[in-house]
Amino acid sequence: MSIQPPPVAAEAPYAIDVADLGVQYDLRFNRKTTVRQSIANLVTRKPPPRFWALRHVDLRLVRGESLAVIGPNGAGKSTLLQVLAGIMRPTEGRVDVRGKISGLLGLGAAFDAELSGIENILLGGAFLGVEDARIRELLPSIVDFADLGQFIDAPIKTYSSGMRARLGFSIATSVDPDILLLDEVLATGDASFREKSKARVIELVRSAKAVVLVTHDMAWVKEYCNRAILLEKGRLVSEGSPADVVEMHLEHAAAAAAAREAAKLAGGLDPRVEDDRRRERRERRRRRRMEMVED
Amino acid sequence: MSRTDALAFRPASGRPTSLGLLREAISEISSRRRLIRYLVQGEMKKRGSDTVLGNIWWILDPVLQMLVYLVLVTILGRGRFPDYPLFIFAAILPWKWFSAVISDASTTVVRQERLIKQIAFPKIVLPVATTSAGVVGFVAGMVPLFALLLLHPDRFNPILLVIWLPLIAIVQYVFTLGAAILVSAANVFFRDLGNALGHGLRLWWFLSPGLYSLAWMDELSIVKENPIIRTLAGFNPFAVLFESYRSVIYGSPLGETGPIPPDPLPLVVLLLGSIVFVALAIVFFKRLEPNFAKVL
């Protein structure tokens, strides 16, 4: 589909230019691959199972824009953010990012759970590639914004997930990014921190930074984003004003829920139901793993 | 900021040259020295922090291992070297460094799964930090080594030690770095590697002249009949390292004389070979790196 240039695009320099982006997963190598399987695959010459997490995505973002990425689970939202952040390399198409990127994908700033909050800020700065002098300069304001009290000197493993998210948000937004990527972070923290973080995102957008946000908070999308895209099954389905895109997403979600409900009545044979169950199982496994890592 | 340039443009296709990858990795390592230092410090802080004796284990570990081998060899009646505790300690110390680094390296990338999926950073710093953290354990092992040397004053040659130990350790560091980089990347794709590694390392230890010396092998009948075994044994990097360490810590291969400078030629050859090995390992790592986030 063709992308409408945003109203300011003619003059403003773009921050992100994505053309015909595709990301393919090769399911031959997953976390459970063993040598035995690999040899078996080689011998049987089975074509490797492949899966497009994203395909044919075109996107352009200029400074001062706040883009919401919405869509059902497994639509490729997080993959898009990972590609923009440079964590993942596109399989096809190209991604042109102009400016310093800071991102908070997933939750929390637990760079090393054994270390204290302060130590994690320094370590996080080193991971993000911020110069040490700069991060030490920013340290007081990061600590201040996270507002963790005496916990800032305690090991991160003693933090609640909300506290981790606060620290992570504080680090990611303090390092003076040109482009800020946020994944589901607004839903965490208590009410007062959510207010504070909203204010900070708006402030960043005002100072002509670009923000890309993945969220399920539709109220936030409509109120504070000036554009939204809807991803479904790795395709860009709709792009436009937040209100329209949110409406479309909700319609699609309702239709999918109705179809699932009908399938359940028919005996649960609908593949989407199976898909959902599989996803749930995967999610549960992932969470268990994460708990194990944190232990 | 340094990150801006690296991230500015990311095409999908285009296979970077090996030389380009190597250059990229070297600039990544040098620009992220601070990160490497933090990772090493974090590693130090964790190690031994949840045991009763804490960091004392760094000193106790090689000593206990030496005692185990001492008992083993005494039972087998094979201890034909004078001052045998010192003889094997000269090999146990460097081997503990190597084997600890390699088993840590097998999980160094895998452990950081969450971070790798959340932020873009050069993953090559992880095995580099693991290898560097191992140096601390090696240095801590100097304490029991010197205690042992004080019990054998006739074998204590401080000048030789001060000159040669760091040089031999540098050669070992380079070789270990290559192996650590290789293992850390391979384990992302083949988790079985971690299982096989422990056994492989143990076999390697017994095939290396740690409990014995190369000169002692010459007397074995199997070696007399098949001289090729002796030649192959000499190609083992740890044959070169152990014999060099032992030469400056203990003395001649059969123990008749005190410490002497090691033969420099095998060390130079090993150093040059290890530098090539590190370069190849880096290219291997960098080729796999873009897939880490997808596979983990």
Side-chain angles (χ1 to χ4, degrees):
Chain A
M1 66 173 289
S2 70
I3 300 293
Q4 312 279 312
V8 277
E11 324 296 321
Y14 67 86
I16 294 174
D17 186 13
V18 172
D20 193 33
L21 170 68
V23 175
Q24 190 182 45
Y25 278 82
D26 184 341
L27 299 180
R28 200 171 29 168
F29 284 114
N30 57 33
R31 52 171 38 258
K32 284 197 264 354
T33 320
T34 62
V35 175
R36 195 175 63 111
Q37 277 171 345
S38 309
I39 292 170
N41 290 344
L42 269 180
V43 171
T44 55
R45 288 170 183 264
K46 245 190 321 197
R50 291 177 191 280
F51 160 75
W52 287 97
L54 280 178
R55 197 145 203 212
H56 304 314
V57 173
D58 293 278
L59 188 64
R60 213 161 207 232
L61 196 67
V62 299
R63 299 247 168 123
E65 268 197 298
S66 166
L67 176 79
V69 181
I70 58 178
N73 285 337
K77 305 186 295 287
S78 296
T79 304
L80 178 61
L81 246 55
Q82 284 180 318
V83 171
L84 294 180
I87 296 166
M88 231 171 242
R89 189 180 289 180
T91 315
E92 58 175 36
R94 64 182 180 83
V95 174
D96 195 355
V97 172
R98 291 195 181 168
K100 192 153 58 78
I101 283 200
S102 169
L104 186 59
L105 313 185
L107 289 181
F111 294 101
D112 188 332
E114 304 279 338
L115 300 180
S116 75
I118 296 275
E119 288 168 321
N120 266 287
I121 295 172
L122 297 176
L123 182 62
F127 265 117
L128 291 166
V130 183
E131 274 152 47
D132 198 59
R134 179 86 184 115
I135 198 83
R136 281 175 197 280
E137 210 176 282
L138 293 170
L139 193 60
S141 68
I142 295 173
V143 172
D144 193 48
F145 189 83
D147 195 18
L148 295 168
Q150 64 202 31
F151 269 98
I152 200 73
D153 291 314
I156 293 259
K157 63 182 174 186
T158 62
Y159 287 25
S160 70
S161 59
M163 290 160 76
R164 287 181 195 202
R166 277 157 71 160
L167 186 59
F169 183 88
S170 185
I171 296 172
T173 55
S174 296
V175 295
D176 191 26
D178 299 315
I179 302 159
L180 181 66
L181 308 174
L182 294 173
D183 190 353
E184 301 284 7
V185 277
L186 298 164
T188 55
D190 51 27
S192 77
F193 190 76
R194 284 173 70 166
E195 283 313 307
K196 244 167 82 172
S197 53
K198 283 183 182 185
R200 177 161 277 200
V201 172
I202 292 163
E203 186 189 311
L204 281 169
V205 175
R206 286 231 179 89
S207 57
K209 313 289 184 189
V211 176
V212 181
L213 169 82
V214 167
T215 183
H216 290 292
D217 183 347
M218 296 301 148
W220 164 259
V221 172
K222 279 194 271 193
E223 203 170 343
Y224 299 109
C225 294
N226 47 24
R227 206 146 60 96
I229 58 171
L230 175 60
L231 288 180
E232 280 175 5
K233 292 183 178 152
R235 307 295 168 110
L236 202 153
V237 176
S238 170
E239 195 233 3
S241 83
D244 296 346
V245 177
V246 166
E247 195 185 335
M248 188 170 181
H249 171 53
L250 294 177
E251 276 169 21
H252 286 194
R260 263 201 304 273
E261 200 54 44
K264 214 180 276 172
L265 290 174
L269 293 172
D270 187 301
R272 275 166 299 193
V273 177
E274 288 300 305
D275 262 10
D276 265 13
R277 286 190 187 149
R278 215 169 297 137
R279 201 172 298 130
E280 258 169 40
R281 276 199 297 273
R282 201 164 54 218
E283 187 60 28
R284 227 176 299 140
R285 270 204 305 274
R286 197 179 63 90
R287 230 174 289 138
R288 244 198 325 257
R289 258 197 325 271
M290 284 188 21
E291 278 161 17
M292 262 154 56
V293 169
E294 276 157 27
D295 286 345
Chain B
M1 282 281 180
S2 54
R3 248 162 62 82
T4 319
D5 308 324
L7 284 175
F9 186 68
R10 291 195 297 275
S13 52
R15 192 174 154 89
T17 63
S18 298
L19 205 64
L21 287 175
L22 193 60
R23 208 173 296 140
E24 191 182 303
I26 291 168
S27 85
E28 282 172 350
I29 292 168
S30 69
S31 67
R32 296 301 186 102
R33 279 182 313 243
R34 172 87 49 179
L35 176 56
I36 294 170
R37 198 198 306 164
Y38 281 146
L39 289 171
V40 171
Q41 282 169 358
E43 201 69 21
M44 297 294 89
K45 208 172 165 185
K46 249 170 290 174
R47 207 172 293 172
S49 66
D50 45 2
T51 51
V52 180
L53 294 177
N55 291 341
I56 303 288
W57 277 110
W58 288 1
I59 293 168
L60 226 49
D61 229 30
V63 174
L64 291 176
Q65 194 160 357
M66 179 198 73
L67 292 177
V68 169
Y69 286 126
L70 210 55
V71 170
L72 179 81
V73 171
T74 309
I75 291 172
L76 292 177
R78 291 291 190 136
R80 312 232 267 83
F81 305 94
D83 301 331
Y84 196 56
L86 189 62
F87 181 94
I88 48 176
F89 202 74
I92 285 175
L93 219 49
W95 182 256
K96 276 212 79 74
W97 173 18
F98 179 75
S99 59
V101 165
I102 297 306
S103 39
D104 280 354
S106 70
T107 60
T108 188
V109 172
V110 180
R111 256 185 305 161
Q112 299 291 2
E113 176 193 349
R114 285 197 316 154
L115 281 183
I116 287 170
K117 286 181 173 176
Q118 287 176 14
I119 39 179
F121 68 96
K123 266 67 82 178
I124 192 87
V125 299
L126 297 173
V128 173
T130 305
T131 313
S132 307
V135 176
V136 180
F138 183 67
V139 172
M142 291 297 134
V143 174
L145 175 67
F146 282 105
L148 209 55
L149 279 168
L150 290 178
L151 296 176
H152 302 97
D154 50 321
R155 294 192 184 272
F156 190 21
N157 188 335
I159 295 165
L160 213 56
L161 287 175
V162 168
I163 294 171
W164 279 101
L165 270 189
L167 292 177
I168 306 169
I170 286 170
V171 178
Q172 186 182 344
Y173 179 89
V174 178
F175 178 74
T176 309
L177 182 64
I181 291 172
L182 207 63
V183 166
S184 65
N187 197 46
V188 175
F189 295 87
F190 299 107
R191 303 292 171 100
D192 335 37
L193 198 68
N195 301 341
L197 212 57
H199 299 286
L201 282 170
R202 202 161 312 142
L203 184 66
W204 194 350
W205 159 252
F206 285 114
L207 289 178
S208 307
L211 300 177
Y212 50 90
S213 61
L214 284 181
W216 175 82
M217 284 180 80
D218 290 335
E219 297 166 31
L220 294 175
S221 57
I222 183 170
V223 175
K224 274 181 189 148
E225 284 156 27
N226 307 290
I228 183 84
I229 294 180
R230 174 61 211 271
T231 316
L232 286 177
F235 282 122
N236 177 357
F238 273 94
V240 176
L241 290 169
F242 286 166
E243 297 268 309
S244 304
Y245 279 116
R246 190 177 293 131
S247 169
V248 296
I249 292 172
Y250 173 80
S252 64
L254 294 173
E256 313 93 331
T257 65
I260 43 170
D263 185 359
L265 185 65
L267 277 174
V268 171
V269 172
L270 179 58
L271 178 63
L272 296 178
S274 299
I275 290 171
V276 174
F277 178 45
V278 169
L280 293 175
I282 286 177
V283 172
F284 174 77
F285 188 99
K286 292 292 290 179
R287 288 239 183 270
L288 294 179
E289 188 183 18
N291 292 316
F292 285 175
K294 283 185 190 172
V295 173
L296 283 172

